[in-house]
C-alpha cells in the first residue's frame, strides 16, 4: 500500500466532495472512511483510477452518513420535548446497533468511540472532547476501530458496561447543548432497563433523569449558564426527580454499587435540597469517596475537592485541589471559585480570567469571563 499516494490524493478527493455539496466536516469523515477501505482493499485489488475510486467510495459513505443522520433526526423529532416517564412503549434497532458496535474484538475505549461516531452521530471533535484527547488522536482511534471490525462477523455482541459508557457520553453531549441527544439517550436507556435486570443500568437511568429534571433551569433567557446554586428550583421537574430517586433506591437496595449509582446518589442529594444552602455536602463528600474508589478518576477527585470546600470550608477544598494536576479540565475554574469563597478576590479574578481562556464551550467561557469581570469591578 502506497501511503504517500493516499496522502497526495486526499486533498483532491476532499475538494470534489465539497464541490458536490458536502460540508467540510462530513466530507473529511467520508474521505477518512474511504481511505480505511482503500487500505483494506487495494493490496489485493488496486484500482486503475485511484482518485476516482476514492471519490466514488467517499461520496457513497457521505450519502450513507447523511441518510443515517436524517433517520436519527426523524426519531428525535418524534420524541416529546421531555421523555415520558415509565417503560418505553416501542423498541427499534438503535439499541441493537449499540451492542453490535461494542464488539469484543475492540477495546472498550475504541468501541465507545466507534459507536458514538457511527450510531450516536457525534463528530470526531465532539468525541475527542468527551475523552479529553486531541482530535487527531481520536480520529486515529476511530480509524483503527473501523479497520478492526471491517472483516469481523458480528455474531458476538459487546458487553453491557461498554454500552452504558456510550449511552452516558451521548447523554452528556446532548445535555451540554452542543447536540440535542439527551432525550434519545434516556429513551434507549429505558429500553435497556426494561430488557436487562442490572443495577448499573438502573443507576444510569436514574442519573440521566435527575440531571435532565434540572435542564430548564440551567440557562438564562439569553443563553448564559446558571450555576446550580443559583438555579430556580421551582423550575425543576419534580415528577422526573421522584422517578429517578425511586429507581436509584431500588438499585442501591441490591447492594451492588457501581459508578453510575454513586453518581446518581450525588445528583439525588442536590435534587433533594430545598435550597443550595441546605445541600448535604457531608454526604456528597462520602459518595465522592465511594466513587473515587470505584473509578480512581482525577475528574471525580476534582469534583470531590469542590464538595470538601463546601463541607469543610474553602481552604480544605484548596488543600485537596493542590494534590491534583492543574492540567485537569476545569481545575482553574474550581481554584477560582474556592479562592473567591476564601476571600482572596484578586487571585480569584485572575483565575476566572485564566479559566475562561481554557473553557471547552462558548457558554462556559462567557460565564467565567463574567465572573472575572464581576470581581474586578468590586476590586476597583
Amino acid at each position: 500500500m502506497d501511503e504517500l499516494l493516499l496522502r497526495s490524493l486526499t486533498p483532491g478527493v476532499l475538494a470534489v466532495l465539497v464541490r458536490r455539496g458536502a460540508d467540510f466536516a462530513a466530507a473529511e469523515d467520508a474521505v477518512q472512511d474511504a481511505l480505511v477501505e482503500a487500505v483494506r482493499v487495494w493490496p489485493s485489488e488496486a484500482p486503475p483510477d485511484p482518485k476516482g475510486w476514492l471519490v466514488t467510495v467517499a461520496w457513497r459513505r457521505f450519502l450513507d452518513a447523511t441518510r443515517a443522520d436524517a433517520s436519527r433526526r426523524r426519531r428525535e423529532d418524534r420524541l416529546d420535548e421531555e421523555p415520558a416517564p415509565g417503560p418505553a412503549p416501542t423498541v427499534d434497532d438503535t439499541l441493537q446497533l449499540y451492542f453490535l458496535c461494542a464488539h469484543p474484538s475492540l477495546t472498550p475505549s475504541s468501541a465507545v468511540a466507534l459507536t458514538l461516531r457511527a450510531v450516536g452521530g457525534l463528530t470526531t471533535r465532539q468525541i475527542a472532547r468527551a475523552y479529553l484527547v486531541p482530535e487527531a488522536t481520536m480520529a486515529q482511534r476511530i480509524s483503527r476501530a473501523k479497520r478492526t471490525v471491517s472483516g469481523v462477523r458480528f455474531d458476538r455482541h459487546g458487553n453491557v458496561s461498554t454500552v452504558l459508557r456510550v449511552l452516558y457520553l451521548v447523554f452528556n453531549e446532548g445535555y451540554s447543548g452542543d447536540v440535542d441527544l439527551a432525550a434519545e439517550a434516556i429513551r434507549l436507556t429505558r429500553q435497556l432497563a426494561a430488557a436487562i435486570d442490572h443495577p448499573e443500568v438502573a443507576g444510569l437511568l436514574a442519573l440521566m433523569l435527575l440531571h435532565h429534571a434540572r435542564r430548564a433551569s440551567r440557562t438564562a433567557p439569553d443563553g448564559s449558564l446558571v450555576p446550580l446554586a443559583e438555579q430556580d428550583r421551582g423550575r425543576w421537574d419534580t415528577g422526573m426527580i421522584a422517578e429517578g430517586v425511586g429507581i436509584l433506591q431500588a438499585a442501591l437496595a441490591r447492594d451492588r454499587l457501581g459508578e453510575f449509582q454513586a453518581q446518581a446518589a450525588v445528583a439525588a442529594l442536590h435534587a433533594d435540597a430545598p435550597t443550595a444552602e441546605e445541600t448535604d455536602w457531608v454526604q456528597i463528600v462520602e459518595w465522592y469517596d465511594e466513587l473515587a474508589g470505584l473509578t480512581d478518576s482525577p475528574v471525580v477527585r476534582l469534583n470531590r475537592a469542590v464538595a470538601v470546600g463546601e463541607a469543610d470550608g474553602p481552604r480544605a477544598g484548596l488543600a485537596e485541589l493542590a494534590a491534583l494536576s492543574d492540567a485537569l479540565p476545569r481545575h482553574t475554574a474550581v481554584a477560582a471559585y474556592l479562592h473567591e469563597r476564601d476571600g482572596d478576590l484578586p487571585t480569584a479574578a485572575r483565575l476566572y480570567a485564566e479559566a475562561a481562556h481554557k473553557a471547552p464551550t462558548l457558554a462556559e467561557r462567557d460565564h467565567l469571563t463574567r465572573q472575572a469581570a464581576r470581581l474586578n469591578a468590586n476590586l476597583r
Side-chain angles (χ1 to χ4, degrees):
M1 170 57 59
D2 190 340
E3 293 186 11
L4 289 177
L5 173 61
L6 285 177
R7 200 172 294 125
S8 67
L9 292 174
T10 298
V13 175
L14 184 59
V16 171
L17 265 64
V18 172
R19 284 199 301 270
R20 288 185 179 183
D23 68 83
F24 190 80
E28 278 190 314
D29 287 334
V31 172
Q32 184 181 84
D33 287 346
L35 294 175
V36 171
E37 186 68 6
V39 170
R40 188 178 72 86
V41 172
W42 286 11
S44 60
E45 189 179 350
D49 179 9
K51 181 178 179 181
W53 189 96
L54 286 171
V55 168
T56 299
V57 174
W59 184 248
R60 287 173 181 167
R61 295 300 172 90
F62 166 73
L63 292 178
D64 288 344
T66 301
R67 292 188 191 106
D69 186 61
S71 177
R72 177 180 61 79
R73 290 183 185 279
R74 283 195 296 272
R75 289 199 305 271
E76 292 174 7
D77 290 342
R78 287 197 297 266
L79 297 173
D80 293 331
E81 182 176 353
E82 297 294 339
T90 60
V91 177
D92 59 27
D93 61 356
T94 307
L95 191 58
Q96 181 73 0
L97 290 174
Y98 274 78
F99 273 96
L100 289 174
C101 284
H103 196 269
S105 63
L106 297 174
T107 64
S109 61
S110 294
V112 171
L114 177 61
T115 312
L116 289 172
R117 183 71 191 92
V119 186
L122 276 64
T123 66
T124 302
R125 178 173 298 176
Q126 291 163 340
I127 301 169
R129 192 175 67 212
Y131 269 91
L132 310 178
V133 299
E135 185 176 354
T137 300
M138 183 52 63
Q140 292 174 353
R141 186 178 300 176
I142 293 172
S143 293
R144 285 196 299 269
K146 289 178 180 178
R147 287 197 297 271
T148 299
V149 302
S150 62
V152 170
R153 287 176 54 85
F154 283 95
D155 53 0
R156 292 186 298 152
H157 292 182
N159 59 40
V160 175
S161 62
T162 301
V163 174
L164 289 180
R165 178 65 52 191
V166 173
L167 289 168
Y168 177 62
L169 290 174
V170 170
F171 175 81
N172 281 344
E173 194 63 47
Y175 191 65
S176 73
D178 192 20
V179 180
D180 189 11
L181 293 172
E184 174 74 351
I186 290 175
R187 184 181 73 85
L188 292 171
T189 307
R190 285 192 189 281
Q191 286 187 10
L192 190 59
I196 299 176
D197 183 21
H198 193 298
E200 272 294 83
V201 176
L204 178 60
L205 179 56
L207 176 64
M208 288 178 174
L209 292 171
L210 289 164
H211 278 309
H212 207 63
R214 303 199 301 259
R215 186 170 188 173
S217 63
R218 290 182 66 248
T219 55
D222 63 359
S224 60
L225 289 180
V226 179
L228 176 61
E230 299 172 20
Q231 289 176 14
D232 179 0
R233 299 183 180 222
R235 299 185 66 196
W236 290 1
D237 187 326
T238 55
M240 195 176 291
I241 290 173
E243 183 188 5
V245 169
I247 292 170
L248 173 63
Q249 288 174 338
L252 291 174
R254 300 177 64 175
D255 198 25
R256 289 169 55 194
L257 184 64
E259 172 187 355
F260 294 119
Q261 294 169 72
Q263 288 191 55
V266 172
L269 286 167
H270 283 298
D272 187 55
T275 65
E277 293 72 26
E278 296 173 86
T279 303
D280 190 341
W281 286 106
V282 173
Q283 269 204 74
I284 288 177
V285 171
E286 291 172 356
W287 276 112
Y288 273 126
D289 287 338
E290 295 279 2
L291 193 53
L294 289 166
T295 67
D296 195 30
S297 164
V299 175
V300 168
R301 297 189 184 281
L302 182 68
N303 290 332
R304 183 184 178 277
V306 177
V308 168
E310 298 289 354
D312 300 329
R315 294 193 178 183
L318 286 168
E320 296 288 336
L321 192 64
L324 302 174
S325 169
D326 59 8
L328 275 172
R330 299 183 175 87
H331 183 284
T332 307
V334 169
Y337 172 75
L338 291 173
H339 276 290
E340 180 183 0
R341 288 203 60 232
D342 194 39
D344 187 353
L345 302 190
T347 299
R350 175 179 57 78
L351 290 173
Y352 275 130
E354 184 180 331
H357 288 292
K358 302 177 182 178
T361 67
L362 180 61
E364 284 188 54
R365 187 191 70 188
D366 290 346
H367 171 72
L368 293 166
T369 300
R370 282 194 296 272
Q371 296 293 86
R374 172 179 57 81
L375 292 186
N376 283 324
N378 291 335
L379 290 171
R380 293 194 185 104

